[in-house]
Amino acid sequence: TSDLRGATRTLRGLIEREPDNPYFHELLGQIELEAGNIDNAIAAYDQASKMMPNSALTQVAYGHALTQRGEREDLELARDVLLLALQEEGRSPRTHRLLAVAYGRLGEEGPARLHLAEEALLQRDLDVAKANLTRAREAIADNDQQNQIRLADLENQISIIEADEDQ
């Protein structure tokens, strides 16, 4: 704990000298999150993400911190930030896991299950992916075209992988 306090003090001093250095804010966010200081972590990651809006890693870390606080507005922001990160880093199991957490805590079972399936697919765990797709199919409304298309895409990916494994 004293090491974290010392690191936090040092980083705050560096931020005073270089307030426009996003990496200092990001590192402060990481340290605060690890110390359990969620509000401070969110503030630091918010600064870093504004300075580096195209950094998927920063956005994922910010989304993670937001899911830890868990207020509805935090979860909605986490979802949005993580969806942006996904555009840059679409093959990140961690991002899909965090999106599943955000959607799940928002009560959106269908999208949560789709992201859990995507995470499992990226990790080549087809059984878990299929189980989550089954649950997603039950939760996604017939008129939810975007998620119905994503569901079909993931099922097709699994079929292709299974066909390749059979050869």
Side-chain angles (χ1 to χ4, degrees):
T1 310
S2 64
D3 289 345
L4 289 176
R5 276 188 289 237
T8 301
R9 268 194 309 277
T10 300
L11 270 170
R12 290 194 187 283
L14 290 170
I15 288 170
E16 277 185 36
R17 280 186 252 144
E18 291 185 47
D20 296 330
N21 187 326
Y23 300 104
F24 291 157
H25 292 278
E26 183 176 24
L27 186 55
L28 180 60
Q30 180 182 349
I31 290 170
E32 293 286 13
L33 187 62
E34 289 176 12
N37 301 322
I38 306 302
D39 292 342
N40 292 344
I42 288 171
Y45 279 131
D46 181 49
Q47 277 298 114
S49 73
K50 287 176 182 169
M51 293 176 186
M52 298 187 298
N54 296 324
S55 170
L57 291 175
T58 302
Q59 301 304 326
V60 170
Y62 183 33
H64 179 221
L66 289 163
T67 63
Q68 294 301 300
R69 190 161 61 188
E71 299 294 328
R72 182 160 191 86
E73 67 185 37
D74 294 327
L75 294 168
E76 290 170 350
L77 181 56
R79 177 199 56 212
D80 296 345
V81 164
L82 292 165
L83 286 171
L84 286 174
L86 208 55
Q87 292 176 7
E88 297 295 318
E89 290 281 329
R91 300 194 51 79
S92 166
R94 181 169 187 246
T95 305
H96 286 287
R97 167 62 66 163
L98 290 169
L99 273 163
V101 169
Y103 277 116
R105 290 182 182 165
L106 287 167
E108 298 180 38
E109 180 75 11
R113 291 295 177 174
L114 286 175
H115 284 287
L116 288 172
E118 183 92 17
E119 174 197 32
L121 190 57
L122 288 168
Q123 295 171 334
R124 303 297 258 193
D125 191 338
L126 299 185
D127 291 335
V128 170
K130 285 190 230 180
N132 278 295
L133 289 177
T134 297
R135 291 189 182 111
R137 181 171 297 290
E138 295 166 359
I140 296 170
D142 291 338
N143 64 350
D144 184 348
Q145 287 187 320
Q146 181 179 351
N147 283 319
Q148 288 290 347
I149 290 169
R150 189 71 197 126
L151 176 68
D153 285 347
L154 291 169
E155 288 173 335
N156 287 336
Q157 287 180 36
I158 289 172
S159 295
I160 291 168
I161 291 169
E162 288 177 331
D164 285 347
E165 288 177 353
D166 288 342
Q167 291 181 4

